[in-house]
């Protein structure tokens, strides 16, 4: 027996509602994927825009003719390094005016000889026009600190360094000034460094450092806006 074909009728309004629903669903799917693609592209552009940049000072060249007048290794009257080189400790240098501050970790006489003394704490503060600072230390405990507040919108005075440092010392200071910033970020090199009075080696005080050893001295750093805080501990190796 031959089967009869069956036909189903749909009301015209239901038909068009179904078509409209399908169109809406497809539109939502397209909009979702378009938004996801745009967000991914935006993240890629943002990542590319925020790439890290290493800033260096390799192009600095000394213009100092008389190297014996070098502020670091020489005997220039304007620098206190010829005095501090008598001490077997470390210090901090404000590079824009070459103001040297020692960490009071040991007691010395006028000839640079270390002397024993009763427990005492020293405190010193001042303002050089480039920085304001405060330092304190307890030599008997081998601990000291220096807090430095920098001027607003500070910048490193490279001309001063080129005029008063020999090329060897200038290269060491320049290496300590290297820093990293994000592309488009308004950031400058911090015009400070740590100096070893015995070896005349220079160590960075840029904000990507948090701690390191300088011979037997452990240095910790903290940064808050224009304030640089350094703590130093004398930690000789036990024999």
């Amino acid at each position: 027996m031959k089967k009869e074909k069956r036909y189903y009728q749909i009301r015209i309004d239901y038909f068009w509602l179904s078509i409209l629903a399908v169109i809406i669903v497809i539109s939502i799917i397209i909009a979702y994927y378009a938004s996801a693609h745009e967000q991914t592209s935006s993240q890629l552009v943002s990542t590319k825009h925020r790439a890290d940049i290493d800033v260096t000072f390799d192009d600095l060249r000394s213009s100092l003719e008389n190297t014996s007048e070098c502020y670091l290794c020489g005997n220039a009257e304007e620098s206190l390094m010829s005095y501090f080189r008598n001490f077997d400790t470390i210090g901090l240098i404000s590079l824009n005016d070459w103001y040297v501050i020692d960490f009071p970790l040991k007691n010395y006489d006028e000839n640079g000889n270390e002397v024993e003394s009763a427990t005492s704490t020293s405190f010193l503060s001042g303002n050089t026009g480039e920085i304001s600072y405060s330092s304190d230390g307890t030599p008997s405990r081998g601990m000291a600190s220096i807090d430095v507040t920098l001027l607003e919108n500070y910048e490193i005075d490279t001309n001063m360094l080129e005029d008063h440092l020999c090329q060897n010392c200038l290269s060491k200071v320049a290496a300590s000034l290297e820093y990293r910033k994000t592309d488009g970020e308004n950031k400058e090199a911090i015009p400070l460094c740590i100096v070893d009075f015995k070896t005349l080696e220079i160590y960075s005080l840029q904000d990507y450092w948090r701690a390191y050893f300088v011979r037997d001295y452990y240095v910790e750093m903290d940064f808050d806006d224009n304030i640089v805080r350094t703590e130093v501990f004398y930690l000789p190796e036990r024999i």
Side-chain angles (χ1 to χ4, degrees):
M1 183 178 180
K2 188 177 180 180
K3 293 184 178 179
E4 295 182 359
K5 294 183 179 179
R6 295 183 179 182
Y7 298 92
Y8 297 92
Q9 294 180 341
I10 301 176
R11 286 176 51 180
I12 190 65
D13 53 348
Y14 288 169
F15 173 77
W16 288 114
L17 284 174
S18 299
I19 296 298
L20 180 61
V22 171
I23 293 173
I24 292 173
V25 170
I26 293 174
S27 299
I28 291 174
I29 293 174
I30 293 174
Y32 171 79
Y33 281 103
S35 176
H37 177 72
E38 182 179 355
Q39 183 176 3
T40 301
S41 299
S42 176
Q43 289 176 346
L44 290 174
V45 172
S46 176
T47 301
K48 183 178 180 181
H49 177 70
R50 297 181 60 188
D52 288 338
I53 298 174
D54 290 325
V55 181
T56 64
F57 295 83
D58 297 335
D59 59 340
L60 295 186
R61 293 293 177 266
S62 173
S63 60
L64 183 65
E65 296 181 359
N66 185 358
T67 57
S68 66
E69 294 296 312
C70 175
Y71 274 11
L72 181 59
C73 68
N75 299 302
E77 294 181 358
E78 299 84 358
S79 173
L80 290 174
M81 282 303 301
S82 58
Y83 168 73
F84 283 118
R85 285 200 297 267
N86 295 317
F87 304 155
D88 185 12
T89 54
I90 64 177
L92 181 150
I93 301 177
S94 169
L95 293 171
N96 281 350
D97 52 8
W98 202 262
Y99 191 82
V100 185
I101 311 168
D102 70 310
F103 288 94
L105 292 159
K106 297 180 180 179
N107 291 311
Y108 290 93
D109 61 21
E110 295 180 354
N111 297 318
N113 299 311
E114 186 175 357
V115 296
E116 298 293 334
S117 64
T119 301
S120 63
T121 298
S122 63
F123 178 82
L124 181 67
S125 63
N127 189 313
T128 72
E130 282 289 336
I131 64 168
S132 58
Y133 66 92
S134 62
S135 70
D136 63 78
T138 306
S140 62
R141 294 186 179 274
M143 54 191 296
S145 66
I146 297 177
D147 291 355
V148 174
T149 301
L150 300 162
L151 292 174
E152 293 291 335
N153 302 316
Y154 60 82
E155 292 182 4
I156 186 70
D157 185 353
T158 56
N159 291 330
M160 199 285 294
L161 298 177
E162 290 177 320
D163 290 343
H164 298 290
L165 294 176
C166 68
Q167 188 58 52
N168 182 52
C169 292
L170 179 61
S171 296
K172 292 193 291 186
V173 171
S176 77
L177 291 173
E178 296 179 0
Y179 70 100
R180 177 169 295 178
K181 70 175 183 176
T182 301
D183 187 15
E185 182 182 10
N186 183 22
K187 183 179 179 181
E188 298 289 341
I190 298 172
L192 303 173
C193 70
I194 295 292
V195 58
D196 185 334
F197 294 140
K198 182 177 181 179
T199 67
L200 297 187
E201 291 302 316
I202 297 294
Y203 297 84
S204 174
L205 266 178
Q206 303 308 309
D207 62 5
Y208 56 81
W209 290 98
R210 286 298 180 270
Y212 49 69
F213 270 97
V214 179
R215 291 190 292 118
D216 290 334
Y217 302 98
Y218 178 68
V219 183
E220 286 189 342
M221 293 147 284
D222 186 47
F223 304 85
D224 182 13
D225 293 330
N226 283 25
I227 301 175
V228 179
R229 299 184 175 90
T230 53
E231 288 187 287
V232 176
F233 305 89
Y234 179 49
L235 302 174
E237 185 176 1
R238 295 181 180 179
I239 299 176

